[in-house]
């Protein structure tokens, strides 16, 4: 059974409230029956229950439910920048397979109702959404939101995205499917046996390009915000740190950083020394911050975190983490997540990955 008291970010409710306001519905009407106030929804540190989000969905549908593709519009608004460390993990994924793996692990805490699974085949692979636990009055909206959200994440992570060869929904077709074709690029099948997004398996292990400016900018800003909350950096040190966070998994060395700043490595060392720091210190700051976020807020393995931070092997990351925190990564994770583990474990176990190794 779905845990309707599961806590989640306010990001999803915020998106729904914005949609309602654009259609002339007041925030108070959108939040009616939730005991939430607009100020809470816009607080990035606040949380809501799944039950409260469901009430917001019902309020929206009561007013605008006849609009074709309303769930598709909602899903197209769920951008990676909403999801903090989970978004960081996605932005730094190196292949489509890694994007899917991370997505399946954390969509539950982001905006998922129901159950999402992955099936890999020799020619085609399928992301299948089981909506059987969703109340019937919201089933079409929430299913469309999930399937569209997958497409949105794919396009934002890498510019071209992975083109769907088939999109299927269990609910009946609306009178107008224009919005669906605009988003998916194909005409979906309706009244289908399952909800699914199907694509060519050849895309799974294709290396993702690092030149996507939107993804790089979002990742850089996310990392910068997290770092600034701990220690502000200006001058040359600030420029170095900004370059270090641009592409997790491909963290540049001092020679590359110096070249990007149009100075020699020796000059860079001297300028940083004048500011009371060093390249090694800044690199440690970035890696320590990112490792804490990924270990605390995701279930990525030690090996996966090490790869995101640019380490060639997990052993080097573990040694560095011991130097930072005085304990290995898994011991740190156990200490940091123990109080909240009971509320999230059941949800994470409901979402599983099939056939990705």
């Amino acid at each position: 059974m779905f845990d309707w008291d599961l806590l989640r970010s306010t990001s999803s409710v915020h998106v729904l409230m914005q949609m309602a306001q654009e259609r002339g519905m007041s925030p108070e009407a959108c939040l009616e029956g939730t005991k939430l106030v607009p100020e809470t929804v816009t607080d990035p540190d606040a949380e809501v229950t799944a039950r409260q989000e469901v009430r917001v969905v019902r309020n929206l549908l009561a007013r605008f439910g006849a609009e074709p593709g309303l769930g598709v519009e909602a899903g197209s608004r769920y951008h990676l920048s909403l999801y903090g460390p989970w978004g960081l993990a996605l932005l730094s994924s190196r292949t489509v397979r890694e994007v899917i793996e991370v997505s399946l692990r954390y969509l539950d805490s982001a905006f998922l109702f129901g159950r999402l699974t992955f099936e890999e085949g020799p020619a085609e692979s399928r992301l299948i959404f089981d909506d059987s636990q969703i109340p019937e009055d919201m089933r079409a909206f929430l299913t469309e939101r999930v399937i569209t959200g997958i497409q949105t994440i794919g396009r934002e992570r890498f510019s071209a995205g992975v083109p769907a060869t088939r999109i299927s929904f269990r609910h009946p077709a609306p009178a107008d499917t224009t919005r669906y074709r605009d988003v998916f690029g194909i005409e979906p099948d309706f009244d289908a046996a399952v909800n699914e997004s199907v694509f060519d398996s050849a895309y799974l292990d294709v290396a993702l390009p690092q030149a996507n400016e939107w993804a790089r900018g979002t990742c850089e800003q996310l990392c910068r915000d997290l770092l600034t909350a701990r220690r502000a950096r200006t001058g040359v040190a600030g420029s170095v740190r900004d370059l270090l966070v641009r592409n997790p998994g491909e963290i540049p060395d001092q020679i590359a950083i110096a070249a990007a700043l149009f100075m020699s490595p020796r000059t860079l060392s001297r300028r940083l020394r004048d500011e009371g720091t060093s390249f090694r210190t800044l690199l440690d700051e970035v890696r320590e911050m990112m490792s804490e976020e990924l270990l605390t807020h995701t279930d990525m393995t030690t090996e996966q975190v090490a790869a995101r931070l640019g380490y060639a092997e997990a052993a080097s990351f573990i040694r560095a983490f011991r130097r930072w925190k005085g304990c290995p990564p898994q011991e740190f994770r156990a200490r940091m997540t123990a109080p909240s583990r009971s509320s999230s474990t059941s949800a994470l176990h409901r979402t599983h990955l099939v056939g990705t190794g």
Side-chain angles (χ1 to χ4, degrees):
M1 294 294 293
F2 188 82
D3 182 3
W4 296 103
D5 294 315
L6 182 70
L7 290 173
R8 54 182 63 203
S9 162
T10 60
S11 298
S12 188
V13 173
H14 189 203
V15 168
L16 297 173
M17 193 169 72
Q18 286 181 320
M19 286 180 59
Q21 285 183 273
E22 290 171 8
R23 288 163 169 77
M25 188 177 186
S26 71
E28 290 74 18
C30 185
L31 300 175
E32 183 180 355
T34 65
K35 298 183 180 179
L36 297 171
V37 296
E39 292 75 17
T40 299
V41 175
T42 56
D43 180 356
D45 296 322
E47 292 179 311
V48 299
T49 66
R51 193 183 309 278
Q52 288 172 316
E53 183 174 339
V54 161
R55 181 57 189 265
V56 173
V57 170
R58 283 197 165 117
N59 292 341
L60 187 70
L61 292 178
R63 185 80 67 90
F64 310 109
E67 182 180 329
L70 193 64
V72 170
E73 179 180 339
S76 67
R77 296 181 180 223
Y78 283 75
H79 304 293
L80 283 173
S81 55
L82 296 174
Y83 301 121
W86 178 79
L88 173 60
L90 274 176
L91 286 164
S92 56
S93 296
R94 295 163 298 178
T95 64
V96 172
R97 189 185 297 277
E98 285 190 6
V99 169
I100 292 173
E101 182 179 353
V102 173
S103 296
L104 287 173
R105 287 182 175 181
Y106 313 120
L107 275 175
D108 207 16
S109 62
F111 63 92
L112 189 66
F113 292 87
R115 183 166 173 263
L116 187 68
T117 56
F118 173 63
E119 291 184 1
E120 180 178 352
E124 290 186 328
S125 293
R126 310 161 68 209
L127 283 160
I128 304 167
F129 182 63
D130 179 2
D131 61 5
S132 59
Q133 294 187 48
I134 301 175
E136 189 172 354
D137 62 316
M138 301 182 298
R139 192 171 292 166
F141 176 86
L142 292 176
T143 298
E144 290 177 359
R145 187 176 74 167
V146 169
I147 298 296
T148 310
I150 292 168
Q151 295 291 113
T152 302
I153 288 170
R155 290 194 181 106
E156 291 185 341
R157 178 54 190 89
F158 43 105
S159 301
V162 174
T165 57
R166 186 169 66 258
I167 297 288
S168 300
F169 294 109
R170 292 207 306 145
H171 55 269
D176 183 359
T177 60
T178 302
R179 182 174 281 167
Y180 299 81
R181 293 194 303 273
D182 289 345
V183 169
F184 299 118
I186 57 175
E187 182 79 31
D189 296 327
F190 294 91
D191 288 312
V194 295
N195 304 301
E196 64 179 358
S197 176
V198 182
F199 60 94
D200 190 331
S201 297
Y203 284 96
L204 282 171
D205 294 310
V206 172
L208 298 181
Q210 296 298 315
N212 183 336
E213 290 300 321
W214 185 93
R216 185 170 72 177
T218 300
C219 190
E220 183 178 351
Q221 187 59 51
L222 193 157
C223 293
R224 187 187 296 118
D225 290 345
L226 291 169
L227 282 162
T228 299
R230 302 185 184 197
R231 183 173 183 180
R233 288 288 187 184
T234 58
V236 175
S239 299
V240 169
R241 197 177 68 176
D242 287 348
L243 291 168
L244 287 172
V245 302
R246 297 193 89 181
N247 289 318
E250 295 188 1
I251 294 179
D253 59 19
Q254 185 169 351
I255 295 174
I257 293 287
L261 295 176
F262 304 102
M263 61 181 72
S264 68
R266 179 173 297 183
T267 299
L268 177 60
S269 294
R270 177 175 56 78
R271 296 282 298 275
L272 291 175
R273 186 168 58 250
D274 291 344
E275 294 181 11
T277 188
S278 67
F279 182 80
R280 172 66 179 273
T281 297
L282 296 171
L283 180 60
D284 273 2
E285 280 183 14
V286 168
R287 284 175 159 169
E288 181 179 358
M289 176 278 299
M290 290 177 63
S291 65
E292 286 183 31
E293 293 296 323
L294 294 174
L295 288 168
T296 302
H297 299 290
T298 78
D299 278 359
M300 291 172 67
T301 65
T302 298
E303 290 74 16
Q304 289 171 329
V305 173
R308 295 302 195 279
L309 302 182
Y311 287 96
E313 56 183 22
S316 299
F317 166 58
I318 293 171
R319 286 194 296 272
F321 197 88
R322 282 183 178 275
R323 174 164 52 83
W324 300 328
K325 300 298 182 185
C327 66
Q330 291 306 314
E331 182 179 329
F332 174 84
R333 166 177 275 159
R335 290 205 307 259
M336 296 300 293
T337 61
S340 59
R341 180 66 67 182
S342 61
S343 65
S344 59
T345 298
S346 61
L348 288 170
H349 285 177
R350 278 196 303 274
T351 302
H352 64 274
L353 189 63
V354 179
T356 59

